[in-house]
Amino acid sequence: MKISDFLSPADVMLDVKTANKGQLLQALSRRAATKAGLDADEVAALILKREELGSTGVGNGVALPHARLAGLKASLGLFARLRRAIDFEAIDDQPVDIVFLLLLPETANGDQLNALACVARALRDPETLRRIRDAANPDGLFRAVTAR
């Protein structure tokens, strides 16, 4: 499985402005819900509920908010590089500037289960993170995150 299987160039956002984690997750949830044809409030509620279990800030300035949704047929991703890093209560207590939101079907098969692992592997790589942070435009950002 490749990131480009569930992330399109249109779903990459550069220099996103946000005041805080809650505002960011609400905005990303609305955008993902619109793309998936789902209820925005339901998507946001599930993303926030998952976040209550523990921060999806995985360290090195990266967050991987995710949720499983009934009615979703295939995994769907949104990728954002923030203009300014925000507090995300990450495991390393560092602010987050790279966010990959992932929606997964409620009854995920093997491929869909691999989507989160695929993103996590890519965003653990220091060279990938450097390319993401250096990208000058959305196309470059898409290439940086899908290069693996």
Side-chain angles (χ1 to χ4, degrees), residues 82-99:
L82 307 183
R83 176 167 287 187
R84 287 196 185 99
I86 60 170
D87 178 32
F88 216 89
E89 302 164 356
I91 60 169
D92 63 356
D93 291 322
Q94 296 301 307
V96 162
D97 64 337
I98 296 171
V99 180

Side-chain angles (χ1 to χ4, degrees), residues 55-117:
S55 177
T56 56
V58 296
N60 296 316
V62 175
L64 304 174
H66 57 279
R68 295 193 181 282
L69 289 106
L72 188 65
K73 305 239 185 287
S75 299
L76 179 138
L78 289 181
F79 185 66
R81 189 181 78 192
L82 307 183
R83 176 167 287 187
R84 287 196 185 99
I86 60 170
D87 178 32
F88 216 89
E89 302 164 356
I91 60 169
D92 63 356
D93 291 322
Q94 296 301 307
V96 162
D97 64 337
I98 296 171
V99 180
F100 198 116
L101 182 134
L102 189 59
L103 301 183
L104 302 163
E106 188 172 59
T107 54
N109 64 32
D111 281 347
Q112 293 149 348
L113 292 173
N114 288 330
L116 186 58

Side-chain angles (χ1 to χ4, degrees), residues 6-29:
F6 49 87
L7 179 72
S8 76
D11 298 320
V12 172
M13 298 159 277
L14 182 64
D15 292 334
V16 173
K17 295 179 192 176
T18 188
N20 57 54
K21 176 181 173 178
Q23 182 186 55
L24 175 66
L25 293 176
Q26 289 282 345
L28 293 177
S29 294

Side-chain angles (χ1 to χ4, degrees), residues 136-147:
N137 55 51
D139 185 52
L141 191 56
F142 178 77
R143 284 194 315 271
V145 76
T146 59

